[in-house]
Each structure stands twice: as structure tokens, then as C-alpha cells.
Amino acid sequence: MHRPWTKEFYEANYPGKHVEKDVVEPIKEWTIYRGDKVEILIGKDKGKQGVVNYVVPERNWVTVEGLNCEFKYMGGGRGIPKSMVKEEKPLLITNEVALVDPVDSKPTKAVWRFTDEGEEVRVSVRTGRIIPLPDESKETYDYKVQKFYVEQPKDTPAAEAEKITFRPRLMTFEQEIMENMDIKENKVPCKTYWY
């Protein structure tokens, strides 16, 4: 569940620890996003509807807010009592959750289609209605919504970022410095090879 740069991921996969690899082929056409209302199709919460609050596209997983939870004890020791923690468990989007159609609040499959204007939209297979993307799906890791983002003076202007400032050449670092300082060298360096 944890991203590779987090402490929890490192503790679960630290160097030297044997971990069984579970290879999953990611889905190419993703139709469920953070903020979507879904219905759970398996387990003790089967038939309940909730909002997706976390998406792991590498594993085809989503977690639903307040549903499919597991309780476990955390902490304790040195006179501190243990506390019970509620943790949402992941669900596969292929067969464990279904997107809810906003027209009649029933589960449906969704596909991507193009409108007459050429815009790509999600469409309910059962009713044929467009299912809009939630605002939460457009949030970045910094939790900024794109429509509220204003370019600030510290940002690099697009024209400046597009300038070509480096031209690769077959010269060593020392040769470039000598050329810039107009230093002439008669010796020819031996050839080096990179493999």
C-alpha cells in the first residue's frame, strides 16, 4: 500500500529481507479515480457504497473511505496502553468494486468515449450517461487543485524553460574549458570507451 519513497515501504522491503514478488499487470484504461463513488462487490461490506480515498495504480487497488476495514492493536509498552486502529484494506478495481452511476446510484462499468467536440469522457455502459471526473482526481501530491493554481513569480516562465542551454559534444570537460579560455594544446588524449 505504501509508495516506494516512504518509511513504511523501506521497513517492509529493507535490503536483505526476502519478499515474495507478486507481479501485477497494470490496467491500461483506468476508469475509477480518487473521489469517485463506488460499490463494494465482495466481503462483509458487499453492497455498500463509499468514496474512493486512495488509488494505487501499480497494483490496481483502491481503498474506500470507511469500508473494507481491518482493526488492529498498535502501540503499548512502558505503561502505555495499546490502542485499536481502523485500517482500510485495498480492493481490486477489476472485480471487487464497481463505479456507481450518478443517475440511478446503481453499479455500472464505465468506458472512455469521445464527444462530438472531441473531448474524451467516461460513459456508463448501462445507461449511456456521461460520468464526470471528480475534483479530487485532479489533485497532485501537493494537494493543489489545478483550477486554483496561479503562476507565481518564483515559477520559471515557459519560454525560459524551453531555451536550449546545453549542446552535447564529443569533448572532455577539460577540453571544453580550454576551448572557452582559448588555451591551445598539442597533445591528443587517448581514446576512452564507455560500456
Side-chain angles (χ1 to χ4, degrees), residues 135-186:
D135 287 338
E136 290 90 348
S137 69
K138 296 177 181 82
E139 290 180 3
T140 63
Y141 287 112
D142 298 330
Y143 297 102
K144 292 180 181 174
V145 181
Q146 189 176 8
K147 66 180 177 182
F148 297 126
Y149 182 75
V150 179
E151 191 171 313
Q152 299 174 4
K154 66 178 181 180
D155 289 342
T156 306
E160 189 68 28
E162 291 172 354
K163 283 184 184 174
I164 298 173
T165 57
F166 175 73
R167 300 227 184 263
R169 297 173 13 190
L170 290 172
M171 297 178 97
T172 64
F173 178 67
E174 292 84 3
Q175 287 173 332
E176 284 190 34
I177 292 174
M178 288 169 53
E179 185 181 287
N180 290 340
M181 297 179 74
D182 289 331
I183 300 172
K184 303 294 181 202
E185 178 65 59
N186 296 335

Side-chain angles (χ1 to χ4, degrees), residues 75-87:
R78 295 188 181 178
I80 301 170
K82 287 186 175 182
S83 60
M84 186 177 278
V85 178
K86 181 179 176 180
E87 183 181 4

